[in-house]
Amino acid sequence: MHFARPLEKLIDELQKLPTIGPKTAQRLALYILKTPEEEVRKLAEAIIDAKSRVFPCSRCGYLTDIDPCPICRDEKRDKSILCVAEEAGDIIAIERTGFKGQYFVLNKDFNLMGHDDLGSLNIKPLEERLKTGEVKEVILALNPDIDGEILARFLAGVVEKYGVKVTRLAHGIPVGGYIEFADEITLRRAIEGRREI
Amino acid sequence: MHFARPLEKLIDELQKLPTIGPKTAQRLALYILKTPEEEVRKLAEAIIDAKSRVFPCSRCGYLTDIDPCPICRDEKRDKSILCVAEEAGDIIAIERTGFKGQYFVLNKDFNLMGHDDLGSLNIKPLEERLKTGEVKEVILALNPDIDGEILARFLAGVVEKYGVKVTRLAHGIPVGGYIEFADEITLRRAIEGRREI
């Protein structure tokens, strides 16, 4: 198949994005070519702009364009509850629940199978916040994989040094999920975590 | 949910692309923020570059960065068979079949339900090619919707004026498709178009 070089390059670049396969990349590229130049320029500028102006908040690590971020500045939020997560995407999901505590984002694809070790995590800002004594509970919102488990144990150790309560998100049957289709680990966790009604 | 303004804008712009919903847009935006600046710049440049350097070939309408396009320049291709399609994406699909004729792309979202009429189609370059007498057959590769049907009839009328044979792509059961699951129109077309074995 012959594509004009600039078109081929665009398809290649789009394919590097997650969830974008060759067919979708081609479709997006053809769409871009049909879009008015002004709109295309807006897209390209939004990419460059976001990349150059958005950075992790120096206090919590969440993505922001002002430092500290609006969540850290918000006086109405509960400073006594600190939710620790791996990625900004996790915070976005947690914010949707209406959670009103504060955050600490590790901003690290912790990869135990690779060459990472726990020493490469920058947890100093977390310890600074624990030292102030204003945090009464740390919720570990970590993913249920091996790395998440190891991270949880490591972080629990750090937090406990400051005499602060550590909790984790509950595992169980997703709301609307059927018991019949729950995998055995989820179901076991749901039984372990059963609550009085 | 609070997003930093440049991040929000990027998510908005990405959402304008086809097949990209709010969740995918957010995922792509977060991925872009994690990508090294050089890579991000490559993506933005590829977008601007493709938009500014790729245009429809003056002879066939296919997307190209040199005029006429490499398909039109290719002396090994059969100039006697001209395939007419609506969009560049259709040509890409037809090229994958190994078709070795030439093309004419209408480059128009022909929308009969909207305010388009057939007069807005630029078929002059098509007629110029038919006049030369080198085209012996025009294959109409048009989609099987109402607009495609009307276009086919209109174009067949134009082509026949020059005494050139007009054909359409065969309808029938897709290769690998089961008769049981074929819709009645497809099956009827498959019976009508039956071939001796």
Side-chain angles (χ1 to χ4, degrees):
Chain A
M1 180 57 221
H2 179 85
F3 287 120
R5 265 305 283 147
L7 174 57
E8 197 176 1
K9 236 186 128 193
L10 176 55
I11 293 172
D12 283 350
E13 290 298 328
L14 290 169
Q15 264 193 79
K16 293 181 187 168
L17 299 172
T19 75
I20 308 292
K23 285 227 167 171
T24 307
Q26 180 189 304
R27 196 167 166 185
L28 295 178
L30 292 178
Y31 179 88
I32 287 168
L33 292 183
K34 286 209 304 188
T35 302
E37 184 157 354
E38 199 193 312
E39 285 298 312
V40 173
R41 204 161 283 279
K42 269 195 208 164
L43 170 62
E45 277 168 9
I47 290 170
I48 293 293
D49 219 40
K51 181 64 192 170
S52 64
R53 288 175 49 199
V54 179
F55 53 89
C57 168
S58 63
R59 189 166 176 270
C60 77
Y62 181 60
L63 297 168
T64 184
D65 56 341
I66 48 168
D67 198 31
C69 76
I71 294 176
C72 283
R73 285 165 189 252
D74 187 347
E75 288 299 329
K76 279 176 281 172
R77 296 188 76 118
D78 187 349
K79 288 200 176 76
S80 72
I81 303 182
L82 186 66
C83 178
V84 177
E86 286 176 61
E87 302 272 3
D90 301 327
I91 305 300
I92 293 168
I94 294 164
E95 277 287 281
R96 282 202 205 97
T97 68
F99 175 76
K100 285 292 173 220
Q102 292 206 323
Y103 296 105
F104 184 76
V105 192
L106 297 168
N107 275 328
K108 179 140 181 60
D109 280 322
F110 183 70
N111 181 3
L112 193 81
M113 300 303 181
H115 301 286
D116 290 339
D117 65 76
L118 291 162
S120 65
L121 277 176
N122 180 18
I123 53 161
K124 253 201 189 137
L126 173 63
E127 294 195 84
E128 293 300 326
R129 281 169 82 171
L130 294 172
K131 264 182 205 159
T132 65
E134 68 182 13
V135 178
K136 304 300 175 204
E137 177 181 353
V138 169
I139 303 174
L140 300 178
L142 302 168
N143 285 314
D145 49 23
I146 296 177
D147 292 337
E149 285 302 321
I150 294 173
L151 263 183
R153 279 171 207 208
F154 170 72
L155 291 171
V158 171
V159 176
E160 278 160 359
K161 275 198 302 190
Y162 296 90
V164 172
K165 184 164 94 174
V166 188
T167 57
R168 287 195 71 175
L169 296 185
H171 287 291
I173 299 162
V175 176
Y178 284 91
I179 294 168
E180 184 180 352
F181 304 122
D183 65 278
E184 64 271 28
I185 299 171
T186 299
L187 199 51
R188 196 181 305 137
R189 296 284 184 101
I191 294 169
E192 286 165 8
R194 67 194 180 278
R195 302 179 61 167
E196 222 169 298
I197 54 170
Chain B
M1 179 59 221
H2 178 85
F3 287 119
R5 263 305 282 148
L7 174 57
E8 197 177 1
K9 234 185 129 193
L10 176 55
I11 293 172
D12 284 351
E13 290 297 328
L14 289 169
Q15 265 192 78
K16 293 180 187 168
L17 298 172
T19 77
I20 308 291
K23 285 228 165 170
T24 307
Q26 181 188 306
R27 196 168 167 185
L28 295 179
L30 291 178
Y31 178 89
I32 286 168
L33 292 183
K34 286 209 306 190
T35 302
E37 185 158 350
E38 199 194 312
E39 286 298 311
V40 174
R41 204 160 284 280
K42 271 194 208 163
L43 170 63
E45 279 167 8
I47 290 170
I48 293 292
D49 219 40
K51 182 63 193 171
S52 62
R53 288 176 48 200
V54 178
F55 53 88
C57 168
S58 64
R59 188 166 177 270
C60 78
Y62 182 59
L63 296 169
T64 184
D65 56 340
I66 47 168
D67 199 30
C69 76
I71 294 176
C72 283
R73 285 164 189 253
D74 187 345
E75 288 299 328
K76 279 177 280 173
R77 296 188 75 119
D78 187 349
K79 288 199 176 79
S80 72
I81 302 183
L82 186 66
C83 178
V84 177
E86 284 176 63
E87 302 273 1
D90 301 326
I91 305 301
I92 293 169
I94 294 164
E95 277 287 281
R96 284 202 204 95
T97 68
F99 175 76
K100 286 292 174 220
Q102 292 207 323
Y103 296 105
F104 184 77
V105 192
L106 297 167
N107 275 328
K108 179 140 182 58
D109 281 323
F110 182 71
N111 181 3
L112 192 81
M113 300 302 181
H115 301 286
D116 291 338
D117 65 80
L118 292 163
S120 65
L121 277 176
N122 180 18
I123 52 160
K124 256 206 187 128
L126 173 62
E127 294 196 83
E128 294 299 326
R129 280 168 82 171
L130 294 172
K131 265 181 205 160
T132 65
E134 68 183 10
V135 178
K136 305 299 175 204
E137 177 181 352
V138 169
I139 304 175
L140 300 178
L142 302 168
N143 284 314
D145 48 23
I146 296 177
D147 292 337
E149 285 302 323
I150 294 172
L151 264 182
R153 278 170 208 208
F154 171 71
L155 292 170
V158 172
V159 177
E160 277 160 0
K161 276 198 302 191
Y162 296 90
V164 172
K165 183 164 95 174
V166 188
T167 58
R168 287 196 71 176
L169 296 185
H171 288 291
I173 299 161
V175 176
Y178 286 90
I179 293 167
E180 184 180 352
F181 303 122
D183 66 276
E184 65 271 29
I185 298 171
T186 299
L187 198 52
R188 195 182 304 138
R189 295 283 184 100
I191 294 168
E192 286 166 7
R194 67 193 180 277
R195 302 177 63 166
E196 221 167 301
I197 53 170

